[in-house]
Amino acid sequence: MATTAPGPREGTVGIKQVAKAAGVSPGTVSNVLNRPERVAPATRERVEEAIRALGFVRNGSASSLRAGVGRLVGLMVHDLANPFFSSLARGVEDLMSERGYAVILCSSATSTDREHRNLRMLAEQGVRGVLVTPVDSGGPDALALLYERGIAAVMLDHAATRPQQCSVTVDDVAGGQMAVTHLLEAGARDIAYVSGPLTLRQCADRRAGARKAVELAGHGAIRDVTVGDMTPASGQEAADRLLAELPDAIFCANDLLAMGVMRTLLRQGVRVPERVLVIGYDDIEYATASAVQLSSVRQPTYRLGRIAAELLLDECDDPEGHAHQQILFQPELVVRESTRQ
């Protein structure tokens, strides 16, 4: 006995009905759903009104299979609790939302094993592309999984590891040099550099910049204090280690470390900046909320995320015509109470 393939459920509204109500072709409706930037605003508004009026809900997985593309992208950063990465994520998500995409957000916690697991998961979810701040020791190998599956990837807060790759980052060597030059000009000679693992590109580059500043000045010295991660608790640990022999100044690889350092110093009666100058990096929102407002090296975090997202979608939409770009922003010194004497 012959069987009949099931049709749409009774009451289900499809693209053809939306097209008829809006007075456009089904292809235009598809563009509004999948590539809204390609449709004139007046036409897009008319189609969206028809969608609302008819109660149309698209089948996301089915439409992705028919079109051969999905509406998901991945974003993987080091630490979701760090306000620097939260700001990056806002820049990415805002742009993706405007373009009709959803973002799967995950963290590597600076673990190469976790990085590999997350990238494999993102590939299995059928993402169109991935924005990733890689763990240096495993980044290029981990990304090979994406390239093998034809998934576009943009390096975020990290330089490109191959010519045919987009990246958006900040010149952290210049930022480290900027911070320590400021400390030297304020009279510091013995400067501690507090950072997370130097296997992280950001920590290593900021250290290189700090040493370059000392070399160019012809005076001063840098001593390294390396901790396990880039959190306020690790900053407190670093400050505890420095109490026995206080430096003139402390340059921290991020603001969270700097806040932890200042918390311990102030609790121990060490005055900032009168006895020790302290400067951080990133200029997160909380830099002005501490007991002593924190000097910092500012990065354009929201803009980094947004531009990286634009590059990723451009590559996804036009892989043949896409021109890979490696964009390098310059940081900015922000002087506040913690280094003013």
Side-chain angles (χ1 to χ4, degrees):
M1 180 173 145
T3 59
T4 303
R9 294 189 305 274
E10 185 178 353
T12 297
V13 176
I15 284 180
K16 289 182 179 179
Q17 291 96 317
V18 173
K20 183 177 180 181
V24 299
S25 70
T28 299
V29 177
S30 179
N31 277 337
V32 170
L33 294 170
N34 298 298
R35 301 174 185 83
E37 71 281 357
R38 297 186 180 182
V39 183
T43 304
R44 187 167 68 237
E45 184 176 343
R46 197 162 71 248
V47 171
E48 289 171 348
E49 175 58 33
I51 287 172
R52 287 191 293 270
L54 295 172
F56 170 80
V57 178
R58 72 174 179 179
N59 182 329
S61 58
S63 63
S64 295
L65 288 171
R66 287 193 297 271
V69 297
R71 307 298 293 175
L72 289 175
V73 297
L75 169 61
M76 185 165 63
V77 297
H78 288 167
D79 180 9
L80 294 175
N82 187 331
F84 169 79
F85 289 113
S86 299
S87 181
L88 278 183
R90 283 198 302 273
V92 171
E93 206 278 332
D94 283 355
L95 188 282
M96 291 299 178
S97 179
E98 291 168 14
R99 302 280 288 272
Y101 281 78
V103 180
I104 300 176
L105 178 60
C106 50
S107 166
S108 68
T110 67
S111 161
T112 55
D113 288 342
R114 185 163 164 177
E115 177 181 68
H116 281 248
R117 288 197 305 271
N118 284 341
L119 289 173
R120 190 160 50 248
M121 176 273 294
L122 290 171
E124 290 168 354
Q125 290 296 315
V127 296
R128 288 197 72 191
V130 176
L131 296 146
V132 57
T133 304
V135 180
D136 282 38
S137 58
D141 290 337
L143 292 179
L145 169 69
L146 302 179
Y147 296 129
E148 288 168 5
R149 300 193 183 195
I151 298 172
V154 172
M155 303 292 249
L156 181 55
D157 194 37
H158 195 289
T161 57
R162 56 176 72 188
Q164 297 303 308
Q165 185 180 67
C166 285
S167 64
V168 182
T169 190
V170 171
D171 189 342
D172 283 322
V173 175
Q177 182 180 349
M178 191 179 292
V180 171
T181 296
H182 170 61
L183 296 175
L184 292 170
E185 290 174 348
R189 293 297 176 266
D190 177 17
I191 301 170
Y193 174 56
V194 175
S195 81
L198 294 175
T199 51
L200 294 177
R201 192 276 309 167
Q202 294 85 349
C203 292
D205 282 2
R206 292 165 198 178
R207 177 178 182 263
R211 292 181 174 273
K212 184 177 181 180
V214 166
E215 181 182 346
L216 290 174
H219 56 255
I222 300 290
R223 47 171 152 145
D224 293 323
V225 181
T226 304
V227 289
D229 57 31
M230 306 272 275
T231 63
S234 289
Q236 291 180 257
E237 174 196 333
D240 285 334
R241 287 156 57 180
L242 288 167
L243 286 172
E245 188 181 351
L246 282 172
D248 301 326
I250 302 173
F251 168 38
C252 297
N254 78 354
D255 289 344
L256 297 180
L257 286 169
M259 290 175 181
V261 164
M262 285 204 300
R263 185 179 303 154
T264 292
L265 293 179
L266 294 173
R267 283 179 178 173
Q268 294 297 321
V270 178
R271 301 186 69 185
V272 177
E274 290 83 359
R275 173 58 185 87
V276 179
L277 306 173
V278 179
I279 189 169
Y281 205 105
D282 292 338
D283 194 34
I284 63 175
E285 181 181 353
Y286 305 116
T288 58
S290 54
V292 177
Q293 291 193 350
L294 180 66
S295 294
S296 189
V297 177
R298 177 180 295 163
Q299 302 195 73
T301 50
Y302 179 87
R303 193 174 175 204
L304 285 175
R306 192 174 178 92
I307 289 177
E310 288 177 344
L311 290 175
L312 182 67
L313 290 191
D314 184 66
E315 182 173 357
C316 290
D317 289 340
D318 185 17
E320 298 300 323
H322 175 75
H324 292 287
Q325 298 181 58
Q326 291 82 42
I327 298 175
L328 182 67
F329 285 96
Q330 291 302 309
E332 175 188 356
L333 178 67
V334 180
V335 178
R336 298 192 182 96
E337 295 172 1
S338 67
T339 58
R340 281 202 191 108
Q341 290 184 307

